[in-house]
Amino acid sequence: MSLLNDILFWSEAELTAWQRDAVRRLLQKEQLEENDFDELYAMMKDSHGLIDSPKIQPIPLAAEHLPAQIASTDHVILSAIRELKNVNRLPPTELLSFSPDGITIIYGGNASGKSGYSRVLKRACRARDRSESIHPNAFDPAASTRTPEAIFDVVIKKEASSLKWERDEVPPDELSTIAVFDSRCARAYLDSEQE
């Protein structure tokens, strides 16, 4: 955690806005795509007075993009994720429970919802890989305009509480202490060029 905070402080002190945007993308994505390079190039040109159209606003690396620092005594235990809305075709009445001790492994057949839950967990918990989009219900034409959201039931300092997550909002800091690991996160840790 300290290394990520050092990177944040360094970027705030020494980098321009478009460079900080580049650092954010590198920390959030397993691999940069062609449009990332195009957007970064356009922002770099704009910073030197060579205006592109349309103008792209940088989203610099900020604390909200990194796992939050929670006191070591504030253990956060994920109990369940429920009331998923606008996530694949998962019904909002479903509840996915987690073991309070050890590890929880999610498995099942094709189209059972594993990837939908995984994408939400990775976004909400600020996992190393967040490159996959959260898909709406493909059978509902209006679903693409709605925002994915979920309720996370957690236990913090032995007290149960619920945290609301929405895709376009900063995830609750408490959720960033939860580790989410799937095959894409494995590649981000093992294959990407990094220390």
Side-chain angles (χ1 to χ4, degrees), residues 33-132:
E33 298 166 1
E34 191 67 34
N35 73 313
D36 291 310
F37 292 109
D38 293 342
E39 290 178 357
L40 289 168
Y41 182 57
M43 287 185 276
M44 180 193 67
K45 285 174 36 179
D46 184 46
S47 73
H48 291 283
L50 305 169
I51 299 172
D52 259 7
S53 183
K55 186 173 179 170
I56 299 169
Q57 290 295 336
I59 303 171
L61 179 67
E64 66 195 45
H65 300 120
L66 304 175
Q69 285 191 322
I70 304 294
S72 59
T73 56
D74 295 350
H75 298 288
V76 179
I77 299 170
L78 178 60
S79 303
I81 180 174
R82 60 184 168 87
E83 297 181 33
L84 273 80
K85 295 178 184 168
N86 309 310
V87 178
N88 297 95
R89 202 170 179 192
L90 295 170
T93 56
E94 289 296 315
L95 173 110
L96 180 62
S97 299
F98 296 90
S99 171
D101 298 309
I103 185 172
T104 298
I105 298 173
I106 301 170
Y107 65 94
N110 288 340
S112 62
K114 301 179 306 292
S115 295
Y117 281 110
S118 176
R119 290 177 185 129
V120 168
L121 283 163
K122 290 195 302 183
R123 292 283 175 132
C125 299
R126 305 180 197 180
R128 179 67 174 95
D129 172 72
R130 289 175 264 176
S131 59
E132 294 178 284

